[in-house]
Amino acid sequence: MPSTVGKAMVTVEGTSTARFEPVRAALAAHLESGEELGASIAIDVDGVMEVDLWGGHADAAQTLPWRQDTVVNLWSTTKTLSSLAALVLVDRGALDLHRPVAHYWPEFAAQGKQDIEVRHVLAHTSGLSGWQLPFTMDDLYDWPTASARLAAQAPWWEPGSASGYHMQTQGQLVGELVRRVSGRTLTEFVDTEIAKPLEADVQIGAREADWSRIAPLVSPSQLSGVPAGLDPEAVFTRTLLGSPARDEHVDTPQWRRAELPAVNGHGNARGMARALSVISRRGDANGLRLLSPDTVDKIFDVQADGTDLFLGVPVRWGVGYALADPRTMPHMPTGTICFWVGWGGSIVMMDLDRRITFAYTMNRLGEGMLGSERTHSYIRHVYEALGATS
């Protein structure tokens, strides 16, 4: 169905209900202006996909259309899947949020980490926000090496006292816990326990059979080097240097084959909305109960509330997800809402008060640590359509 922006006609494919027409119009406008290259947006309302839109191009040369089944690297929006996997194991009694990580992973107790709990890993308060240098991409691609290195190092601040966003280490920590208690990799667990049962087009890494439908990311500025003048001992600097994945690694065969559960998930908005709607609907989605309401409530137990030591802005962290806070996401209303974003702007947001799941994925990365201007624009349109204000 076409949307008119100015004098040009832009085709946004898919469907949307009348009340969310402003969301369609916003996507069309961003595609027409060139701010978006290709993108998808989905809004699940209590199990009904009221918005399922896509449009634009899957390549920088604008020769390939973004299709219904186009997927993209999600960067840190991947963490929403990893956290959901951990919560499924919590719900089954295989993981206890208040038990030490070392109960499941004995080697982890080294260097004074014996009291770090599972909840600290999920809330970015463990003190292990980056790997101790030297640490390379080859080390990151080698799962046993990456896990052993984290088990052997000391935390960079008192665990539980503050959050410091675990940009790339959180996936390793959660993934190792999943391996220890389930006997499966996180990639396998997400595939068999989340993606297939929920019929959600999401995965950690990317199966080679799906490479042809991946839209490569287009970056405004590569994450390379470290700005001059930073304190080498600051958590920000140590985290950045100790997180080796950069834009230039994405969309390579080695990246797609790897298990990097913090950063290399692949999917589209529809798939992410289907997967994460299980939280918005308090554990029950598509006829499948993955979580009990009590486990869903645990997400909203505040673990840290203050300026994040890496992000440098106030973030209210629950268990596995950030919680709605006008200091962080000004267009989200207050309430029982959790979310997380990926580098460049992708997002999944779960609003339990309205039983709404909103997801947005794109291939042109935008600026901003916690969503781009486009991300915030779409969120604003969603809540304006619902008649909700912050």
Side-chain angles (χ1 to χ4, degrees), residues 247-285:
D247 289 354
E248 60 264 28
H249 302 124
V250 179
D251 297 318
T252 64
Q254 194 171 13
W255 176 277
R256 292 174 179 174
R257 292 190 180 105
E259 182 180 26
L260 306 175
V263 291
N264 84 332
H266 289 75
N268 51 35
R270 181 189 318 103
M272 294 301 284
R274 287 186 70 86
L276 276 300
S277 66
V278 73
I279 292 176
S280 311
R281 301 176 68 197
R282 293 192 174 275
D284 192 0

Side-chain angles (χ1 to χ4, degrees), residues 335-369:
T336 315
I337 303 172
C338 61
F339 71 97
W340 195 239
V341 297
W343 167 241
S346 63
I347 187 172
V348 181
M349 178 191 75
M350 292 73 78
D351 183 331
L352 282 67
D353 296 331
R354 299 167 182 84
R355 296 175 73 86
I356 284 176
T357 310
F358 163 71
Y360 158 60
T361 67
M362 72 293 131
N363 57 353
R364 187 187 297 285
L365 304 184
E367 301 284 0
M369 290 288 278

Side-chain angles (χ1 to χ4, degrees), residues 2-78:
S3 296
T4 303
V5 182
K7 297 181 180 179
M9 187 72 73
V10 176
T11 300
V12 174
E13 303 289 342
T15 59
S16 62
T17 56
R19 63 173 171 169
F20 288 116
E21 190 62 25
V23 177
R24 177 193 285 273
L27 175 58
H30 286 131
L31 288 166
E32 176 62 28
S33 70
E35 294 171 87
E36 293 283 18
L37 177 60
S40 63
I41 292 176
I43 302 173
D44 177 286
V45 183
D46 201 12
V48 177
M49 198 70 74
E50 288 205 25
V51 174
D52 183 7
L53 301 172
W54 63 92
H57 293 89
D59 63 329
Q62 301 187 30
T63 61
L64 300 172
W66 183 296
R67 301 187 184 277
Q68 184 175 10
D69 69 344
T70 296
V71 294
V72 69
N73 191 95
L74 300 166
W75 271 114
S76 286
T77 305
T78 307

Side-chain angles (χ1 to χ4, degrees), residues 33-348:
S33 70
E35 294 171 87
E36 293 283 18
L37 177 60
S40 63
I41 292 176
I43 302 173
D44 177 286
V45 183
D46 201 12
V48 177
M49 198 70 74
E50 288 205 25
V51 174
D52 183 7
L53 301 172
W54 63 92
H57 293 89
D59 63 329
Q62 301 187 30
T63 61
L64 300 172
W66 183 296
R67 301 187 184 277
Q68 184 175 10
D69 69 344
T70 296
V71 294
V72 69
N73 191 95
L74 300 166
W75 271 114
S76 286
T77 305
T78 307
K79 295 179 176 72
T80 63
L81 296 170
S82 301
S83 293
L84 178 57
L87 288 168
V88 169
L89 290 168
V90 169
D91 196 73
R92 295 175 182 175
L95 275 178
D96 185 330
L97 292 171
H98 295 277
R99 276 198 182 235
V101 172
H103 174 79
Y104 308 101
W105 179 4
E107 304 94 318
F108 189 82
Q111 297 284 353
K113 301 195 301 302
Q114 66 277 358
D115 295 325
I116 294 176
E117 299 174 10
V118 173
R119 65 189 175 97
H120 295 140
V121 168
L122 287 167
H124 302 269
T125 65
S126 79
L128 297 171
S129 57
W131 279 272
Q132 195 72 42
L133 295 178
F135 188 80
T136 67
M137 276 302 295
D138 286 340
D139 295 327
L140 182 62
Y141 286 139
D142 186 311
W143 188 275
T145 295
S147 290
R149 289 287 301 275
L150 287 174
Q153 78 180 57
W156 292 344
W157 67 89
E158 181 184 351
S161 64
S163 71
Y165 181 50
H166 294 23
M167 183 165 57
Q168 293 170 22
T169 55
Q170 194 205 38
Q172 192 75 32
L173 295 166
V174 172
E176 188 64 34
L177 282 168
V178 169
R179 285 173 182 244
R180 298 273 171 157
V181 304
S182 75
R184 286 177 281 176
T185 68
L186 204 150
T187 295
E188 294 167 340
F189 193 91
V190 166
D191 185 51
T192 59
E193 302 293 336
I194 297 172
K196 286 180 179 176
L198 294 176
E199 298 179 354
D201 189 4
V202 296
Q203 54 189 300
I204 306 294
R207 292 178 290 269
E208 193 162 348
D210 293 318
W211 288 6
S212 63
R213 61 191 184 97
I214 297 174
L217 298 181
V218 177
S219 176
S221 58
Q222 288 194 339
L223 286 169
S224 57
V226 178
L230 294 180
D231 178 359
E233 296 303 314
V235 169
F236 175 85
T237 310
R238 297 176 80 182
T239 301
L240 188 61
L241 290 173
S243 304
R246 299 289 185 264
D247 289 354
E248 60 264 28
H249 302 124
V250 179
D251 297 318
T252 64
Q254 194 171 13
W255 176 277
R256 292 174 179 174
R257 292 190 180 105
E259 182 180 26
L260 306 175
V263 291
N264 84 332
H266 289 75
N268 51 35
R270 181 189 318 103
M272 294 301 284
R274 287 186 70 86
L276 276 300
S277 66
V278 73
I279 292 176
S280 311
R281 301 176 68 197
R282 293 192 174 275
D284 192 0
N286 303 326
L288 176 71
R289 178 158 290 281
L290 274 185
L291 304 173
S292 68
D294 286 345
T295 298
V296 174
D297 286 342
K298 294 179 191 301
I299 294 170
F300 297 90
D301 291 340
V302 177
Q303 303 295 310
D305 187 1
T307 300
D308 186 275
L309 296 175
F310 175 75
L311 296 171
V313 296
V315 183
R316 181 176 292 128
W317 285 108
V319 174
Y321 303 89
L323 308 181
D325 186 328
R327 300 171 302 173
T328 310
M329 301 294 278
H331 297 297
M332 280 185 196
T334 57
T336 315
I337 303 172
C338 61
F339 71 97
W340 195 239
V341 297
W343 167 241
S346 63
I347 187 172
V348 181

